[in-house]
Amino acid sequence: ERLFHSRDHSDLQDSSSEQAKPVTDLHSAQQFLSRYGWTEPEFPIEPAKDPVFTEALKKFQRANDLPVTGILDDATTKAMNKPRCGVPDNQVTENKNATLVTPQSNTFIQVNDTALNQSIGSNYTVNHEKSPSRIR
Amino acid sequence: KKRFLNMLLPPDRDKNGQVVLDRTETTAFARRSLKWRLIGEGYSSQLSIEEQTYAFKLAFRMWSEVTPLDFEEDTTSPISQIDIKLGFGTGRHLGCAHTFDGEGQEFAHAWLQSDIHFDDDEHFTAADTENGISLLKVAVHEIGHVLGLAHSHRRGSIMQPNYIPQESAFELDWSDRKAIQKLYGSCEGPFDTIFDWVRKERNQYGELVVRYNTYFFHKSWYWLYENRHNRTRYGDPIAVLIGWQGIPASDLDAFVHVWTWNQDASYFFKGTQYWRYDNENDKAYTEDTQGAHYPRLISEGFPGIPSPIDTAVYDRRIQSIYFLKDSLVFAFDINKNQIVDHFPKRLTDVFPALVINDHPIGNIDAAYYSYTYNAIFLLKGKEYWRVVNDRERWQNPSLPYNGLFARRNISEQWFDICNVHASMLKM
């Protein structure tokens, strides 16, 4: 069990496993963008000077309604550190056909063209309709 | 004979012998009935097994309510026969190649047409109001991936990659529904009966206000259809015996609301019998104010009308009930309590086709008068025909009385009226 001493478990300690490493700098941001399909899995030595990285950052900012600066600012870092699903947002490959994978491999489902366009903002529109408020 | 040929599956069956609709390589499951399981080695350390199972069951139901897919929890079959397996883990988990990152950031991931893993280092909660991450919301999102949906940055979409705390109960909106229906199609008929249930209420000024709700019935369940939102009520279908006391629990034939200046009676029909419904007490009469006992034979209450009927609908223009059976129509005058002269007539004569060779001919599933559209609809299978109404005839006198417009798909007029697996009906 996770260790605690108080009756109400208010001192429940975090598990011994690590905390997720937050995105704090350009290198961790590069890893984030690569992991979730915004760039190819390359690690330039100086991502700040890499136009591919900058462009990917802009696309991420655009998709997340952030100021499109191409700079890793506080708002962008905060967005990257939000709880999120582990499935990549995009698959940046030449082959856009579906690839079915097993849990033992290292890639996820491909994103179809329509969703890819949505994710990278070329056909992205903001839907301002209210969320449904009816109680089930 | 070459014995190995016996091991090959017929082209239309999968390894479990189930009918496969499409063997082309797509991101969608080929089957429409899918099995899922919360695997024993993947229980969360934070929630009871019941809480985890309930959240997953409800998540699957939410997708089932908008797609022609059934999801069944299967805890007994061999694991190889389970379509979707769910489990919790931390770090390196469940034989998965993708390691979880600890508390924060990544909370779950999913594999196309396969498994869902939840990071047990995250604080998942079962209830909407608690701090933490709603297990239900994450499960709905991940099931979306399993079914073939990708991330979307559209505001309001359940497929947004980031977790957004719920301000109120969340549901699948129009765009999410259409996205999944692009993969799996829309839900279609047939239906047993459809009607608008009229309620009389007093507003805050004491004025009498008349409202109505639209209900669709199929087998042993029913839906309330919200016309203004183009969808069913969240959480439907519901079992008939839960919402409608005292009438048959399944396979109704018809509903009729007789409404005149001096009559206001609602009737359900099944087989050779019919029931009158007590609006005030929300249950069927056993004996009404006139002393009639229910259920009552159709032949007693409506002399000359054969039974069972296919369906029926009240036409207030002529103050008669149209009873439809096979290819015939019987018009019953509710004031004279007898069949109208010169009836029965052929369906094709009472409701003539406006488009040549476009007519249901007979064996109608449901006849429905809609206050939303001020028109009668005849439904059969997955299609419907709309009847010309008085306003349309006034605008275009060349239209025949009770003419039938060309057929259309039910799913193009009333959206997302979907079944769920029987095990989910009582949730």
Side-chain angles (χ1 to χ4, degrees), chain B residues 71-297:
Chain B
F71 299 99
E72 179 188 8
E73 183 188 10
D74 185 330
T75 56
T76 56
S77 298
I79 197 69
S80 60
Q81 292 182 14
I82 305 301
D83 298 295
I84 306 170
K85 297 181 284 294
L86 303 98
F88 290 79
T90 60
R92 292 208 173 275
H93 60 279
L94 302 172
C96 182
H98 191 81
T99 307
F100 279 132
D101 54 5
E103 186 179 354
Q105 290 201 9
E106 206 168 301
F107 50 69
H109 53 234
W111 306 87
L112 177 65
Q113 298 184 23
S114 185
D115 302 348
I116 302 173
H117 300 155
F118 300 87
D119 187 351
D120 208 25
D121 276 328
E122 305 298 335
H123 179 43
F124 285 107
T125 62
D128 292 347
T129 54
E130 292 180 36
N131 293 326
I133 298 178
S134 166
L135 179 60
L136 172 63
K137 192 171 187 183
V138 171
V140 172
H141 174 99
E142 299 301 332
I143 292 169
H145 282 313
V146 171
L147 296 179
L149 294 181
H151 281 151
S152 168
H153 288 273
R154 182 182 57 79
R155 190 178 301 179
S157 174
I158 192 60
M159 298 310 297
Q160 290 187 76
N162 291 105
Y163 178 78
I164 297 172
Q166 295 168 222
E167 295 174 353
S168 61
F170 79 95
E171 297 286 348
L172 296 168
D173 67 8
W174 175 267
S175 296
D176 282 336
R177 292 164 181 240
K178 296 310 133 190
I180 195 72
Q181 287 163 8
K182 272 187 184 175
L183 297 176
Y184 294 96
S186 301
C187 296
E188 299 172 306
F191 298 98
D192 296 329
T193 188
I194 307 156
F195 56 87
D196 285 346
W197 182 262
V198 177
R199 306 175 196 275
K200 302 182 195 67
E201 302 168 350
R202 295 274 174 192
N203 63 12
Q204 66 264 42
Y205 306 110
E207 298 165 331
L208 184 66
V209 175
V210 179
R211 302 184 196 277
Y212 67 92
N213 294 106
T214 304
Y215 290 96
F216 284 72
F217 279 61
H218 173 66
K219 292 187 178 177
S220 60
W221 49 78
Y222 74 97
W223 299 257
L224 184 152
Y225 190 81
E226 305 211 15
N227 293 288
R228 73 183 76 182
H229 298 303
N230 283 321
R231 56 164 173 79
T232 57
R233 176 175 52 190
Y234 295 131
D236 284 9
I238 301 173
V240 172
L241 59 85
I242 292 176
W244 304 84
Q245 310 290 324
I247 63 170
S250 67
D251 302 301
L252 291 163
D253 290 328
F255 170 89
V256 166
H257 179 206
V258 175
W259 196 13
T260 67
W261 290 110
N262 56 3
Q263 284 194 56
D264 183 0
S266 301
Y267 302 106
F268 286 93
F269 296 80
K270 180 176 179 178
T272 59
Q273 298 175 312
Y274 73 102
W275 291 253
R276 185 178 173 187
Y277 209 78
D278 180 358
N279 302 18
E280 297 295 321
N281 295 302
D282 193 26
K283 60 180 180 180
Y285 281 107
T286 51
E287 181 180 352
D288 65 14
T289 52
Q290 285 83 44
H293 290 82
Y294 297 92
R296 196 176 178 203
L297 289 175

Side-chain angles (χ1 to χ4, degrees), chain B residues 23 47 61 65 71 92 95 101 124 151 187 210 221 239-240 279 303 307 311 321 325 330 332 356 360 362 407 424:
Chain B
R23 281 198 170 275
L47 301 167
R61 182 182 162 131
E65 289 172 2
F71 299 99
R92 292 208 173 275
D101 54 5
F124 285 107
H151 281 151
C187 296
V210 179
W221 49 78
V240 172
N279 302 18
S307 60
T311 188
I321 302 172
K325 184 177 173 66
F330 297 77
F332 189 90
I356 295 173
R407 73 183 74 196
M424 294 181 171

Side-chain angles (χ1 to χ4, degrees), chain B residues 298-345:
Chain B
I298 293 174
S299 56
E300 288 181 11
F302 303 93
I305 298 299
S307 60
I309 56 171
D310 289 335
T311 188
V313 63
Y314 176 67
D315 189 341
R316 57 184 179 176
R317 297 172 299 176
I318 57 174
Q319 295 200 351
S320 296
I321 302 172
Y322 286 128
F323 287 96
L324 280 64
K325 184 177 173 66
D326 298 330
S327 61
L328 296 177
V329 179
F330 297 77
F332 189 90
D333 189 322
I334 54 100
N335 295 311
K336 297 178 181 175
N337 208 48
Q338 64 185 41
I339 294 177
V340 174
D341 289 342
H342 309 299
F343 276 86
K345 294 182 181 179

Side-chain angles (χ1 to χ4, degrees), chain A residues 3-135:
Chain A
L3 184 63
F4 61 91
H5 298 288
S6 301
R7 177 189 292 275
D8 63 356
H9 301 198
S10 58
D11 60 340
L12 187 68
Q13 294 182 9
D14 292 333
S15 67
S16 57
S17 62
E18 296 175 1
Q19 299 278 317
K21 291 176 183 169
V23 173
T24 56
D25 56 17
L26 288 171
H27 284 290
S28 53
Q30 167 64 26
Q31 288 178 344
F32 177 97
L33 293 175
S34 168
R35 182 184 179 96
Y36 295 113
W38 296 91
T39 64
E40 293 279 1
E42 293 170 356
F43 299 92
I45 297 173
E46 292 186 79
K49 295 182 180 177
D50 179 14
V52 173
F53 171 80
T54 304
E55 191 55 36
L57 194 60
K58 284 182 178 177
K59 288 178 181 173
F60 176 83
Q61 290 169 331
R62 196 176 296 121
N64 284 277
D65 278 344
L66 299 169
V68 181
T69 60
I71 298 170
L72 186 66
D73 46 33
D74 287 345
T76 306
T77 305
K78 190 176 175 184
M80 288 180 174
N81 285 319
K82 283 182 182 175
R84 63 156 292 140
C85 173
V87 175
D89 300 323
N90 306 294
Q91 179 164 319
V92 186
T93 62
E94 290 301 318
N95 180 9
K96 299 213 170 119
N97 295 322
T99 53
L100 180 62
V101 296
T102 66
Q104 280 67 44
S105 66
N106 273 325
T107 55
F108 288 87
I109 60 168
Q110 144 289 351
V111 170
N112 60 39
D113 284 348
T114 304
L116 178 67
N117 288 335
Q118 281 183 344
S119 297
I120 63 177
S122 59
N123 285 332
Y124 177 58
T125 57
V126 176
N127 186 340
H128 291 285
E129 67 182 79
K130 282 186 180 178
S131 300
S133 57
R134 267 264 171 85
I135 303 295

